[in-house]
Amino acid sequence: MTKTIVRFGLLIVALFCLLAISKYWWISGDLSVELILSILALVFFWIGVWISKQNAVKQQNNSIVLDALKGKEIGLTTRELEVLSAMSAGASNKEIGEQLFVSESTVKTHVSNILVKLNAKRRTQAISLARELQLLKK
Amino acid sequence: MTKTIVRFGLLIVALFCLLAISKYWWISGDLSVELILSILALVFFWIGVWISKQNAVKQQNNSIVLDALKGKEIGLTTRELEVLSAMSAGASNKEIGEQLFVSESTVKTHVSNILVKLNAKRRTQAISLARELQLLKK
DNA sequence: ATTAATTTGGTACTTTAGTATGAGTCTCAA
DNA sequence: TTGAGACTCATACTAAAGTACCAAATTAAT
């Protein structure tokens, strides 16, 4: 959470700098209007892309990417999404626990909650449903 | 693919319109520079977010398709591929047996053989590996 | 500041999953 | 026709997975 605040803080600072520079260019008349607007558009476009990507939970180990925003819509918590991701990579409860530094009991609790939220009977079905819901991407 | 092209086409048209409007505003002096730049920045920011999301969500089809030829290359038999397919859809051994009109014991045998052939410890891992091997599509 | 939600973890239990082993049937090619 | 491979099924077992409780610590939100 703190990370997010810092990230957005830096972002806003950067935005103000860019706006200030844009205005300076505009007043001094060094650059054409089209160019200034284009640069501004491009920069903000990429910032949008970047922010959007930051919101995706990425698992480095098996390259399975999860749509965190979509997950939240469905009602899955951050931790549950992490468990779901590891689960879909084929990890056992014990292995998931080791990966996330929690006990197997905790993982079982998370898995149970995931099954209820996705209305699945088994973990394999949960994975299948998550894929149908476009929650898991490859 | 066609969809993507259409989408980007519309996007580019929209961008040009916006740039033109921005320039008009700038020349006519109806709005302040800050406002114009801010609006432009905001719009492009959201376009960036939108594009990023569109690129993330690609898979529409959820039906499980299996590459039988590829499966045979790996050494999986026809029946094993059928079991693997049902397995990846989230079915239990019992349910797979009902689907294929065989006993649960038979399914267990098939599953065990699949695990050996794919070098997997669990069925979830087998599904994950099958996906990596492009054996399971979508 | 105080609810509300999340995360963590435990015990005890039932249900599935998976292994090991053996064996019968069927098909197809040598 | 004989043997290999595929498919079938069973028993007995061990290992995971999953459920149903409970409870505490942490974090987010109002």
Side-chain angles (χ1 to χ4, degrees):
Chain A
M1 203 61 224
T2 319
K3 220 171 181 177
T4 310
I5 293 168
V6 170
R7 204 143 56 189
F8 266 87
L10 285 171
L11 190 64
I12 288 167
V13 170
L15 299 194
F16 272 99
C17 290
L18 200 73
L19 284 173
I21 292 167
S22 299
K23 202 186 168 188
Y24 167 76
W25 279 345
W26 176 71
I27 290 169
S28 65
D30 286 348
L31 295 170
S32 71
V33 191
E34 287 92 341
L35 196 59
I36 292 170
L37 291 178
S38 297
I39 289 169
L40 196 73
L42 206 64
V43 169
F44 276 82
F45 170 77
W46 282 114
I47 287 171
V49 171
W50 180 71
I51 288 285
S52 191
K53 280 200 176 170
Q54 293 304 313
N55 273 332
V57 177
K58 288 172 202 162
Q59 301 289 106
Q60 53 283 55
N61 48 345
N62 31 52
S63 75
I64 283 159
V65 183
L66 223 135
D67 191 334
L69 291 176
K70 207 145 200 169
K72 293 289 172 62
E73 279 176 27
I74 294 161
L76 294 173
T77 67
T78 307
R79 211 51 165 166
E80 284 163 359
L81 287 170
E82 286 170 347
V83 170
L84 177 58
S85 177
M87 206 164 83
S88 74
S92 68
N93 290 336
K94 195 178 176 184
E95 287 170 350
I96 296 171
E98 285 163 6
Q99 279 174 37
L100 301 180
F101 303 104
V102 295
S103 76
E104 195 185 338
S105 296
T106 306
V107 177
K108 282 189 176 185
T109 307
H110 286 316
V111 172
S112 263
N113 290 333
I114 291 169
L115 295 185
V116 170
K117 287 180 181 177
L118 290 182
N119 197 27
K121 288 177 193 163
R122 282 165 291 281
R123 53 170 53 206
T124 47
Q125 197 176 12
I127 294 166
S128 175
L129 288 171
R131 217 167 269 284
E132 284 177 21
L133 290 168
Q134 318 256 322
L135 222 152
L136 286 169
K137 298 174 226 161
K138 197 155 39 145
Chain B
M1 201 62 219
T2 319
K3 219 171 179 178
T4 309
I5 293 167
V6 170
R7 203 142 59 190
F8 266 87
L10 285 172
L11 190 64
I12 288 166
V13 170
L15 298 195
F16 272 99
C17 290
L18 199 73
L19 284 174
I21 292 168
S22 298
K23 200 185 169 191
Y24 166 75
W25 280 344
W26 175 72
I27 291 167
S28 66
D30 286 347
L31 294 171
S32 70
V33 192
E34 288 92 341
L35 196 58
I36 292 168
L37 292 177
S38 297
I39 290 169
L40 197 74
L42 206 63
V43 169
F44 276 83
F45 170 77
W46 283 113
I47 287 170
V49 171
W50 180 72
I51 288 284
S52 190
K53 276 198 176 178
Q54 294 304 314
N55 273 339
V57 181
K58 327 165 191 164
Q59 294 145 328
Q60 287 290 348
N61 197 348
N62 312 316
S63 62
I64 287 150
V65 183
L66 222 136
D67 193 333
L69 291 176
K70 208 143 197 169
K72 294 289 171 61
E73 277 177 29
I74 295 161
L76 294 173
T77 68
T78 308
R79 210 51 167 165
E80 284 163 359
L81 287 170
E82 286 171 347
V83 171
L84 177 57
S85 177
M87 206 164 82
S88 73
S92 68
N93 289 338
K94 195 178 175 183
E95 288 170 349
I96 296 171
E98 285 162 5
Q99 281 173 38
L100 301 181
F101 302 106
V102 294
S103 75
E104 194 185 336
S105 296
T106 307
V107 177
K108 281 189 177 185
T109 307
H110 286 316
V111 172
S112 261
N113 290 333
I114 292 169
L115 295 185
V116 170
K117 288 180 181 177
L118 291 182
N119 198 27
K121 289 177 193 164
R122 281 163 292 281
R123 53 170 51 206
T124 47
Q125 198 176 12
I127 295 166
S128 176
L129 288 171
R131 216 166 273 284
E132 283 176 23
L133 290 168
Q134 318 258 320
L135 223 151
L136 286 169
K137 294 172 183 175
K138 260 116 215 190

